[in-house]
Amino acid sequence: MNPLPVAEAPNAGAAPPMDASPNVPIAVQLGRFVADVRADRLPARVVDHAKSRLLDCLATAISSRTLPVPAVAGAFVADSRGGASIVGRRERAAAVDASFVNATLVNGSTHDDFLAKSHAGAVVVPAALALAEEHGGSGADLLAAIVAGYEVTARAYLGGPGMLPRFRATGVPGAVGAAAAAARALRLDAARTANAIGLGAMFASGFGEGFHSGTMDVKLNVGWASRSGASAALLARAGATASPTVFEGTSGFFHAFSNGAGSAARTAQGLGEHFLIEETLYKERPVCIFVQTPVELAHRLAREHGFDPARIEHVRITAPIETYTNPGYLNAAPFATALKARISARFTVAAALLDRPIDTYAYYDRTDDADVLALAERIELVEPSSEVHDVHVEVTVAGRCFAMRGIEMEYQRPSHDKVVGKYRRLTADLAPALAEDILAAVLAMDRASDVVALTHLLRLV
């Protein structure tokens, strides 16, 4: 299949910059921006990114449909009935419930995308898709909602970066971004959209303690953020209001989650000049985004130098402070669950050096792999200074040091071919015709009068 077209110069077709006056509350600025996003006014490359993100999210959702967390989420909404589809389920459910379950599916295999410290796709796409289906949105509405949702997810973090690592960005800015996407899918006006975004900020929650234990709560938090966003938009549609100063106010979002509003101006800075969805990273492997680069470097070292892994004496990994402090990065044995292992730098890097099948989800169930556990004990994770901005992996084998350095997450830049290749890998168990029909529906989404043809296919997987 031909690559998606990329025709414009970097800012061609961008919306006019929004009024970023400090006298205009942030929620109001975001509401105006989101309500004004239209697919036919966006640069073609931005529309292509929205299709790419939709396809990637559907790939990870399809591959997660037999996993425990989505099963729990599905049981929770088992009696729900409505007009929105859940991937792999014949009966449709209420949009808020479909958002919840589909978000746990997108995030279920730890293979979903990443933007500004959030798994943006997992919260944005399910909310946008559910409400577009239930309320008759077009394919163009869906793509506009995705672009708007990614934008607001990222900006809600940029205005309060001090929320990490105490709070989890996916559950906090993610709920705001899901509300923005849901509001756009419902085609709300600017005032109601601002209320939806404000309600999403009010409903935000989540922290990362579950990454240390490998429990389900951190996965369910993703689903709840998407559900909260969908709920916020439906409430705003019904007439609910939220404080216009919900973000920068003295009792607002940034003071609560980030200990102050010192960075609040960044939330709307440059709004409409470019689109942050273009900065999204994708995952080649089903492991935490913060271990993708160390794993890639370790894998390359082993392949390029062909050293005997049995003779590895010591491994030393240095990474930026944001990576080092991310919940789960320092996880050590015992690995009670696969989630605890797949977010651990020690486990994942040891597996890469030993040439385990690290690209497959099922491998990480082998948390008792004796050789991996033994090597993980010889991996040193260096506490970095604030001056460290890249990742450095050193492997000592029989007294000889092999080293490789890489820019954090530089290997996670998506392309059309990468995303389509990943989609085909993750949907290999589907009937070929069904998988190709889903792919074709996504690539033609900007021309679709509704999303029903796509969601019908998703219920059949």
Side-chain angles (χ1 to χ4, degrees):
M1 188 168 294
N2 292 329
L4 295 171
V6 178
E8 283 81 18
N11 291 314
M18 305 299 289
D19 179 5
S21 167
N23 297 321
V24 181
I26 289 170
V28 173
Q29 294 182 59
L30 294 176
R32 292 173 181 172
F33 168 79
V34 170
D36 196 50
V37 175
R38 286 181 46 173
D40 60 357
R41 296 176 183 169
L42 293 171
R45 70 178 187 283
V46 175
V47 175
D48 293 346
H49 274 287
K51 293 179 187 178
S52 173
R53 296 300 86 233
L54 174 60
L55 183 65
D56 196 56
C57 288
L58 295 181
T60 62
I62 290 167
S63 71
S64 301
R65 63 197 188 280
T66 63
L67 299 183
V69 175
V72 168
F76 178 71
V77 306
D79 296 328
S80 177
R81 294 293 180 268
S85 298
I86 294 173
V87 175
R89 173 171 149 172
R90 296 299 191 271
E91 304 84 6
R92 292 193 291 180
V96 294
D97 294 326
S99 300
F100 173 58
V101 180
N102 285 334
T104 67
L105 283 161
V106 175
N107 181 248
S109 60
T110 318
H111 215 161
D112 48 326
D113 68 20
F114 192 76
L115 174 66
K117 311 301 181 184
S118 291
H119 294 288
V123 291
V124 165
V125 168
L129 183 61
L131 287 172
E133 179 181 16
E134 190 168 73
H135 294 271
S138 67
D141 287 325
L142 173 61
L143 296 175
I146 290 171
V147 172
Y150 275 71
E151 188 79 21
V152 173
T153 299
R155 289 182 173 278
Y157 166 75
L158 293 174
M163 65 183 66
L164 299 180
R166 295 173 304 138
F167 296 101
R168 190 174 184 218
T170 306
V172 178
V176 182
R184 180 58 190 82
L186 288 172
R187 302 182 294 277
L188 300 186
D189 62 22
R192 282 186 167 82
T193 299
N195 284 323
I197 290 170
L199 291 168
M202 175 61 75
F203 299 158
S205 65
F207 34 82
E209 188 62 23
F211 287 119
H212 301 300
S213 57
T215 43
M216 289 185 178
D217 44 354
V218 289
K219 295 284 186 183
L220 292 169
N221 174 242
V222 177
W224 208 254
S226 190
R227 190 185 202 276
S228 293
S231 299
L234 288 169
L235 284 165
R237 182 174 180 264
T241 60
S243 170
T245 55
V246 65
F247 290 104
E248 67 272 36
T250 56
S251 300
F253 183 88
F254 292 137
H255 280 280
F257 288 112
S258 197
N259 288 335
S263 299
R266 297 180 64 196
T267 312
Q269 187 175 15
L271 187 60
E273 294 177 4
H274 64 282
F275 298 92
L276 297 180
I277 193 171
E278 296 184 87
E279 299 178 15
T280 306
L281 304 174
Y282 97 127
K283 288 185 182 178
E284 186 66 31
R285 300 184 172 99
V287 297
C288 177
I289 193 73
F290 290 100
V291 300
Q292 295 273 338
T293 301
V295 165
E296 177 65 24
L297 294 176
H299 189 64
R300 290 188 179 196
L301 280 171
R303 290 295 178 92
E304 288 180 15
H305 297 286
F307 47 70
D308 181 356
R311 303 182 69 189
I312 295 175
E313 298 167 355
H314 184 72
V315 180
R316 178 182 171 92
I317 303 173
T318 306
I321 190 67
E322 294 84 359
T323 295
Y324 183 85
T325 57
N326 188 66
Y329 179 81
L330 300 176
N331 280 357
F335 296 100
T337 67
L339 176 60
K340 187 176 180 181
R342 68 177 67 245
I343 61 179
S344 163
R346 292 185 176 93
F347 187 95
T348 55
V349 169
L353 289 169
L354 293 172
D355 200 27
R356 296 300 193 260
I358 56 175
D359 294 347
T360 63
Y361 180 85
Y363 165 70
Y364 296 92
D365 287 328
R366 295 182 53 191
T367 57
D368 59 349
D369 187 323
D371 292 335
V372 169
L373 295 177
L375 180 53
E377 292 291 326
R378 301 196 294 277
I379 294 179
E380 175 191 3
L381 303 178
V382 179
E383 182 171 1
S385 71
S386 60
E387 302 303 313
V388 174
H389 301 294
D390 56 8
V391 178
H392 191 206
V393 177
E394 302 173 51
V395 182
T396 303
V397 184
R400 184 181 175 190
C401 182
F402 302 87
M404 187 172 289
R405 188 182 300 271
I407 299 172
E408 177 76 292
M409 301 182 191
E410 69 174 326
Y411 304 106
Q412 279 72 65
R413 298 291 176 186
S415 68
H416 172 78
D417 290 342
K418 284 182 178 180
V419 172
V420 171
K422 176 182 171 183
Y423 169 82
R424 289 194 165 121
R425 290 195 305 275
L426 295 187
T427 60
D429 65 325
L430 298 185
L434 177 58
E436 290 302 309
D437 285 347
I438 293 171
L439 174 60
V442 170
L443 296 184
M445 188 52 57
D446 52 330
R447 303 187 298 277
S449 60
D450 56 45
V451 301
V452 173
L454 173 62
T455 55
H456 170 74
L457 294 172
L458 295 176
R459 294 200 303 274
L460 301 179
V461 301

